[in-house]
Amino acid sequence: MQNHQFSQVGIVGAGELGQALGGALSRANVQVIYYDILPAKTTTTNIEDLVRACEVIILCVPSWSISDVCKTISKAAIPNEKRLVISCSKGALPGFETVDKVLVDRLPDHYASGLLFGPMSASEIAQGKIGEGIVSLTDMSYYSALREMFALANIYVEASADLRGVAVGGALKNIYAMAVGMSDGLRLGSNAKSRLIVLIIAEMRRLIAELGGNPATAEGSAGLGDLVCATVTSESFNYRVGKSLAEGIVDPHVKSEGVVALHELSRKIKLADYPIVNTLNQIAFHYAKPQKFMEILH
C-alpha cells in the first residue's frame, strides 16, 4: 500500500472546500469525481458510482450529514474491495459523537477511514497557495501515498497517531472560534484576544484529555493552527456566529458546526469545569448577556 499511487479520488460535497481540494488535486493530475446534492456541482449520477470508481473518498459535508453519507457508501460497498474514506468535517453528532467514531461505526469493516483536519483555507487552496493539515487514519499504511498525492497538489500533511484527539480537537475548534468571534464582537481588543487564545488552548488540552485524546494535540495543526486560521488570518462561519452573538444580531435559527457541537458537549461533560465553553453555552442557549463573556478574562 505504501507504494500505491492514487490516480482517481471521489469528493462528496462540492462546496467551497470540496471544490478547492478537487481543483488542487486536478492540477496535480489526479482525476476527481464529485457528488453533491446540487446537480450542477455533480460529475456522477450518484454516490454509488463514485464509491465503485474511487479508492479514496473525501467527505466535505457538514457533520450532521456524515452519518447518512456513510450509510449510503456502506450500501454501495463491494465485499473485500477496500476503500479509504477521509472526512474533512469537524463537528459532533448527538451525544457529542465525533466524526472518527461515526466513520468506524457506519462504514464497512473492510474500509479504512480517517480525518484530514487543520488550517486549510478553501479560498487560498483554490488560488494555488500552500495548504497544511493533519491526517489521522485507522490504517496508517495509506499515509505515504496520501502525503505524496497532496504534496503534488501543494497541500502538505503530517501524520498523527491520535485519531481521537484530532477528532475532538476539530469539533472543539469550531466552538472556540465562536469565542474569539465573541471577543471581537465585544471589541475587547487584540491584547484580550491574545489572552483568550492562551486560555482556550489550556482549556482545550484538558477537554481533549477528558474525552480520550492526547492533550498535546491541542497545540498542533488540528488545534491551535486551525483556530488561528479560522479566527485571525480569516473569519470562519463559526467565528462570525460568535461575533454576531456578541452584537445581538444572530439569527436564532442559525446552524453551524460550533453551535451544534457546543449544544452536544453539554451532554458529555460537566460544563462548570470549563469556564469558556460554559460561558458560551450560557450566552448561546440560556439568555445570558454577551457581556458575561468578559468574566473569562478577569
Side-chain angles (χ1 to χ4, degrees), residues 88-158:
C88 296
S89 306
K90 307 163 188 171
L93 277 68
F96 204 77
E97 181 183 23
T98 47
V99 176
D100 59 324
K101 191 173 188 303
V102 176
L103 295 175
V104 170
D105 289 350
R106 311 297 199 277
L107 292 172
D109 291 340
H110 63 286
Y111 274 26
S113 63
L115 307 173
L116 172 60
F117 285 3
M120 295 186 296
S121 166
S123 61
E124 292 188 2
I125 291 174
Q127 295 169 26
K129 295 181 179 179
I130 289 175
E132 191 266 342
I134 287 287
V135 169
S136 191
L137 308 171
T138 58
D139 182 354
M140 291 303 292
S141 68
Y142 281 95
Y143 171 66
S144 180
L146 281 176
R147 179 182 60 188
E148 181 178 343
M149 180 184 73
F150 280 118
L152 292 172
N154 211 27
I155 299 170
Y156 299 94
V157 298
E158 297 180 0

Side-chain angles (χ1 to χ4, degrees), residues 7-86:
S7 60
Q8 189 163 267
V9 170
I11 294 181
V12 180
E16 187 178 8
L17 180 58
Q19 290 191 11
L21 289 175
L25 291 171
S26 295
R27 292 191 293 272
N29 296 318
V30 176
Q31 183 178 358
V32 178
I33 299 175
Y34 296 96
Y35 178 80
D36 193 272
I37 58 173
L38 299 177
K41 296 181 177 182
T42 293
T43 58
T44 186
T45 56
N46 52 58
I47 295 181
E48 288 82 358
D49 289 344
L50 181 149
V51 172
R52 296 186 181 103
C54 301
E55 188 176 358
V56 178
I57 303 165
I58 303 175
L59 308 184
C60 298
V61 299
S63 61
W64 48 83
S65 299
I66 284 285
S67 184
D68 288 340
V69 169
C70 287
K71 289 177 182 177
T72 302
I73 291 173
S74 185
K75 289 179 181 178
I78 298 173
N80 301 319
E81 193 169 274
K82 294 183 178 181
R83 292 289 183 267
L84 171 62
V85 180
I86 304 172

